[in-house]
Amino acid sequence: MSRLLNNEDIPFCALIEPAQDAVRADLGATRGEFVLIVHDWCMFNFNQHTSKADRLVRSHKSDMGYELGTALAIDAADGRPLGPMEFRLRTGAGMLSTRVGGADLPRGHVDEIAAVMGDAQRWGLRRRLVHVIDREADSVGHYRQWHADGHRFLVRSDESRLVRHDGRERKLDDVVADLRGRMQDVRGAMGLPEVVMIGGKAGRVRVAEAEVILHRPARHNTGEKTAGGSKKQVEVPGPPLPLRLVVVHVVDGSGVVLAEWRLLTNIPAEDADAATIGRWYGHRWGIETYHKLLKSSGMNAEQWQQQSGEAFLRRLCVASMACLTVWHLQREESEEAARLRETLVRLSGRQMKHRVESTAPALLAGLERLLAIDDLMRREDLEDILALARRVIPRLFPDRSG
């Protein structure tokens, strides 16, 4: 690991290759037509790490660190996170990327996506790609660009805009209101309604859809400010864009809506029905879990002491393989894998609750300690170490030979 971390001659694109190869191997061992490429961003806060001279100042002086953009591959069939295909790290000195040839530093997050989509065609995943993005990508101009370039996307809509529906111009809110009266339960195995957890509460999933056309001009930020201090925008006309609007509700037993998603997609209905579109967006949660593993629950990357964005990204690429290893271990059903999971949880020192056998953060913590033990055993003799402990701290290591 130290050889990879400290060798500046190894480019970022080479450091991400093992993770990309693992994703390709995973997909090659399963059947399916689609793979989801989920895009999201995550801020690593380093306010107190003054040794990092290239920290990015995001909104104010107490919001400093590095901002990571990730393209995570997820199996569309079952929602399994497979691994990262690309990292982009915004620092105060510019953009670092695992992409061959690097990446430009555009004005906003969403402006990064077109280039990722284009590069994804060279990843060799041998599946039809569906790009899934949360509501910060709800942008008419970008929808038009992605569609014109032949990419399939699924985005959560946030803005209330005017659309064409049933031959007339309507507010998107009104179209959604009409669909609420046409919701149908999503049924899974044995015809039973699908149930998901939202905020600790169980709810059944319901969906409805309609065809809409985005016909109004797009709004682009100019980078300037108005006299009132708000962002200055200009209107950019474009061709009408037909999309599917899929509304997803998660409803509890009393009929209370726990969550509502307004999803816009250019994926044809013959490729994925409304229920499938809803499931695919639900799989987006995998990238939130992944970033949490990196930040706090497993890798604790906000505690890393690397003094530059370049060094931080190198370690991130190497650490990502540990996450993939844990995901594979979680899916392994053999008795040996179960025993190893039990051992790693014990090494982690974490308590499992609610009859959960293991969690990814616990397995990562245990794996880190097991690797440290392995490194120690390669250098030292266990009996010598235990004998030393019995002499120096006999209360913790009593001599049981007698």
Side-chain angles (χ1 to χ4, degrees), residues 345-346 348-362:
V345 170
R346 290 179 62 188
S348 75
R350 303 190 181 192
Q351 297 294 321
M352 298 295 98
K353 299 180 180 179
H354 310 299
R355 299 183 180 179
V356 174
E357 179 211 52
S358 62
T359 63

Side-chain angles (χ1 to χ4, degrees), residues 9-34:
D9 292 332
I10 300 177
F12 297 127
C13 59
L15 290 174
I16 197 70
E17 278 184 3
Q20 294 174 335
D21 289 342
V23 173
R24 284 187 280 264
D26 235 349
L27 289 173
T30 61
R31 293 183 178 180
E33 186 177 358
F34 296 95

Side-chain angles (χ1 to χ4, degrees), residues 326-348 350-363:
V326 164
W327 287 338
H328 281 282
L329 180 59
Q330 285 184 303
R331 297 194 293 268
E332 177 61 52
E333 297 179 355
S334 68
E335 291 185 6
E336 288 185 332
R339 182 181 176 188
L340 180 57
R341 288 193 293 268
E342 179 183 2
T343 300
L344 293 181
V345 170
R346 290 179 62 188
L347 285 174
S348 75
R350 303 190 181 192
Q351 297 294 321
M352 298 295 98
K353 299 180 180 179
H354 310 299
R355 299 183 180 179
V356 174
E357 179 211 52
S358 62
T359 63
L363 294 177

